Amino acid sequence: MSIELFVWWFLLCTVSLVNVLGLSLSAPALKRRHPLLPPDVYATRRLQFILSAGYVLGCAYRSALPVYDVQRLCLFDSWMSSVIVGRTVATIAELCFVTQWALLLHETARAADSRIGKAVAWMIVPMIVVAETFSWYSVLTTSNIGHVVEESLWGTSAALLVLGLVSIWPRSTRALRPYLLACGVMAVAYVGFMFMVDVPMYWSRWVADEASGRHYLGVLQGIADASGRWVVSHRWQDWQSEIAWMTLYFSVAVWFSIALIHAPFLDRTALARARQGS
C-alpha cells in the first residue's frame, strides 16, 4: 500500500474509533439529561441515539473497509469489502442519518407550530429513499447518472432543511437560535458542496463514460458483479477522487449525527412566555 493511502486509511480508522467512543459516552450523558427533558423529548432523544448508532457504526465499517463502488475497488481482498455488502451497510446508515434530521426538525417544528417545518420533516426521508434507489442503480449498472440524481436529491433535501429552519426561526426562543443558526450554516455549506463539487463530479464522469462508449451492466448482471467481483487496489491514484468526500463524510457528518442526540429542545412553556412578553 502506498504511504499516502495508508496514512489516509489509518486516519479514517482513528477517527472512527473516536466516533465510536463519542457515541458510547453519549448514552450516560443522555441518561443524565433524563430528569431535565419532557417525556416525549427524551423518547425522541433515545431514538436519536439508536439511529446515530446505526450511522456511526456503518461509517466505521466503511472506514475500515473502504470501497469505490462503481469501479469495484477495495483495499482488502475479502467478501466483506464487496460492493453489495458495503452498499447495503451504507444504505442502512444513510437512512438512519436522514431520519435523525427529520425527527429533530419535526419535533422543533411541532413545538413552534411551523407548518413548513413539519412538511419538510415529512418530505426528506421519502426523498432519500428515492435517492438510495438511484444510488443502487448506479452501483449495479456502473452508470454514474444515477449518482447525479442521488446527490442532487441529497442536496435538495438539505436545502429544504434550511427552509424548515428559516420557518422555525421567528417562532423559536433566543436560547435555541444559536443551535438553529449552526445547523443552518452547516446545511448551507453541505448544499454548496453537493451542487458545486459532488454533483458536477458525477456528471463529468457520466459524460466521459458516454463519450467513450462505455458498456453498462444490466441490473441483474450488476447484482452478480457487485456480489462476486472486487478489485484490490493500493494505488493512491485510483482512490484520489474519493478521498475528499469520504474523509468529510466519515468525520464531520458523523459528528453531526452524534450532536443530534444532545440537541436542545424548544421549550413550549418558555416560548409561550416569550410570546406573551412580546
Side-chain angles (χ1 to χ4, degrees):
M1 189 181 300
S2 68
I3 294 298
E4 298 93 339
L5 194 61
F6 175 79
V7 169
W8 172 67
W9 173 75
F10 184 78
L11 175 64
L12 287 185
C13 292
T14 302
V15 170
S16 294
L17 287 175
V18 173
N19 293 342
V20 172
L21 176 62
L23 177 70
S24 65
L25 294 175
S26 294
L30 180 59
K31 191 172 182 179
R32 287 193 296 270
R33 290 184 68 197
H34 188 184
L36 306 175
L37 299 174
D40 58 333
V41 174
Y42 181 70
T44 302
R45 293 298 180 276
R46 289 183 63 186
L47 184 54
Q48 287 281 3
F49 177 83
I50 295 170
L51 292 168
S52 182
Y55 187 66
V56 172
L57 296 177
C59 288
Y61 183 96
R62 297 175 68 200
S63 295
L65 299 170
V67 177
Y68 184 175
D69 290 343
V70 171
Q71 301 298 334
R72 308 296 195 250
L73 295 183
C74 59
L75 288 183
F76 302 100
D77 188 8
S78 166
W79 65 267
M80 297 175 69
S81 291
S82 69
V83 172
I84 206 80
V85 173
R87 191 66 244 163
T88 300
V89 171
T91 300
I92 295 170
E94 288 169 358
L95 290 177
C96 286
F97 189 37
V98 75
T99 303
Q100 283 189 271
W101 296 12
L103 279 175
L104 189 62
L105 180 61
H106 186 268
E107 172 195 305
T108 309
R110 185 178 60 180
D113 195 25
S114 168
R115 292 183 180 179
I116 294 176
K118 286 186 284 187
V120 171
W122 282 107
M123 289 172 60
I124 56 179
V125 173
M127 285 180 63
I128 299 307
V129 170
V130 175
E132 293 297 327
T133 303
F134 277 99
S135 176
W136 274 100
Y137 172 81
S138 277
V139 167
L140 296 178
T141 66
T142 72
S143 171
N144 280 293
I145 193 62
H147 283 319
V148 173
V149 179
E150 175 204 3
E151 302 304 275
S152 298
L153 287 170
W154 273 100
T156 302
S157 68
L160 288 173
L161 178 63
V162 173
L163 177 63
L165 294 174
V166 169
S167 73
I168 292 169
W169 180 274
R171 301 166 179 264
S172 65
T173 59
R174 291 183 179 180
L176 187 65
R177 287 180 178 178
Y179 185 80
L180 295 178
L181 179 62
C183 290
V185 169
M186 291 184 66
V188 168
Y190 179 78
V191 171
F193 176 81
M194 296 302 283
F195 286 110
M196 297 177 67
V197 178
D198 223 38
V199 173
M201 176 185 72
Y202 285 114
W203 176 261
S204 64
R205 289 179 182 179
W206 179 72
V207 170
D209 288 342
E210 289 289 296
S212 65
R214 177 170 182 160
H215 171 71
Y216 303 120
L217 300 176
V219 172
L220 294 180
Q221 289 177 307
I223 292 173
D225 186 67
S227 301
R229 182 174 71 90
W230 51 87
V231 180
V232 177
S233 173
H234 293 158
R235 299 195 326 140
W236 174 258
Q237 295 87 341
D238 292 339
W239 291 90
Q240 196 168 6
S241 63
E242 306 298 290
I243 299 296
W245 79 261
M246 281 191 178
T247 304
L248 291 172
Y249 190 85
F250 297 147
S251 58
V252 177
V254 176
W255 301 336
F256 185 63
S257 171
I258 295 172
L260 291 178
I261 303 170
H262 310 285
F265 67 98
L266 184 56
D267 189 331
R268 297 183 185 181
T269 303
L271 181 60
R273 289 174 181 171
R275 288 174 177 173
Q276 289 173 1
S278 61

